[in-house]
Amino acid sequence: MTDLKISVVIGVYNAEKFLRKAVSSAEELPEVEEIILIEDCSTDDTYRVCQQLEKESAKVRLFQHPEKVNRGVAASKNFGVKKAKCELIAFLDADDYYLPNRFEAEKRLFPKNPKVDGVYGALGFHYYSDKLENKYKDHFFGELTTVTGNVPPDQLKYQLIGMCREDKGYFSLVTLT
């Protein structure tokens, strides 16, 4: 794998204020081949924003669940994975954004290690208000968190939900490729 081509899956629900920044951050990365928006029956103006983004960018593909009902974030991510065209898939929450170096580790690790199934990166936090920072900063281990050691595949799910016997940090699906 010489040139990484990545499908970015974004489950979207009531995110009209943040979505443009999320999509823009993914669109700017050369590794991102497509951005898949799964609009999950928002109650605000999010669907219209999604339609605009799809018209503005050849990378953006917009979908809704076939039954046009709210299915939740997990179902939306799973649906997006099924729609992805690229071998590599990354997730992005509609109210988050990527930094310019988002796929640097993937560019180093995937070509040299063909047996690697996934790469987890660090997760940083930006709080839009002091109230949110005070509420969540301790819960999310400060301003930056990542996995601090090798986690055997059979222990990954326990690490993800914080039930691992050996604490090796925290990771989020948003940092998984």
Side-chain angles (χ1 to χ4, degrees):
M1 187 179 319
T2 54
D3 291 328
L4 295 185
K5 293 183 191 265
I6 299 171
S7 296
V8 173
V9 174
I10 305 176
V12 184
Y13 181 76
N14 288 352
E16 68 178 299
K17 295 177 185 175
F18 307 103
L19 184 58
R20 198 165 279 284
K21 183 173 184 174
V23 169
S24 169
S25 75
E27 192 174 35
E28 293 172 3
L29 299 171
E31 301 84 9
V32 175
E33 187 79 10
E34 65 176 348
I35 301 164
I36 301 168
L37 303 178
I38 306 299
E39 204 288 321
D40 199 17
C41 290
S42 297
T43 59
D44 64 2
D45 209 21
T46 296
Y47 185 67
R48 184 186 58 77
V49 173
C50 289
Q51 289 174 312
Q52 288 174 343
L53 290 166
E54 185 179 41
K55 285 179 186 173
E56 294 168 8
S57 173
K59 287 186 176 184
V60 175
R61 298 173 56 218
L62 172 60
F63 300 93
Q64 286 186 305
H65 295 284
E67 56 279 352
K68 302 273 195 278
V69 295
N70 179 275
R71 298 279 315 275
V73 67
S76 295
K77 285 180 180 179
N78 289 336
F79 186 50
V81 168
K82 290 177 184 173
K83 294 293 184 182
K85 294 179 180 176
C86 298
E87 181 182 352
L88 297 177
I89 297 170
F91 299 103
L92 179 60
D93 289 345
D95 61 347
D96 292 339
Y97 57 90
Y98 287 148
L99 295 176
N101 63 345
R102 167 61 180 91
F103 297 111
E104 292 303 311
E106 286 83 346
K107 287 193 297 192
R108 285 190 322 270
L109 294 171
F110 279 124
K112 294 178 184 171
N113 303 286
K115 292 186 179 185
V116 169
D117 290 325
V119 174
Y120 296 96
L123 179 65
F125 297 91
H126 172 79
Y127 301 99
Y128 289 97
S129 72
D130 290 340
K131 181 180 176 182
L132 286 174
E133 183 174 2
N134 291 334
K135 183 176 180 181
Y136 291 110
K137 193 170 187 175
D138 288 338
H139 175 72
F140 288 117
F141 317 108
E143 297 194 16
L144 182 69
T145 186
T146 189
V147 175
T148 58
N150 290 331
V151 179
D154 64 331
Q155 293 296 307
L156 282 175
K157 66 183 174 187
Y158 301 112
Q159 190 71 40
L160 179 62
I161 61 175
M163 294 180 60
C164 195
R165 291 182 191 261
E166 293 181 42
D167 183 17
K168 293 184 180 172
Y170 170 82
F171 67 89
S172 165
L173 288 181
V174 174
T175 68
L176 171 64
T177 304

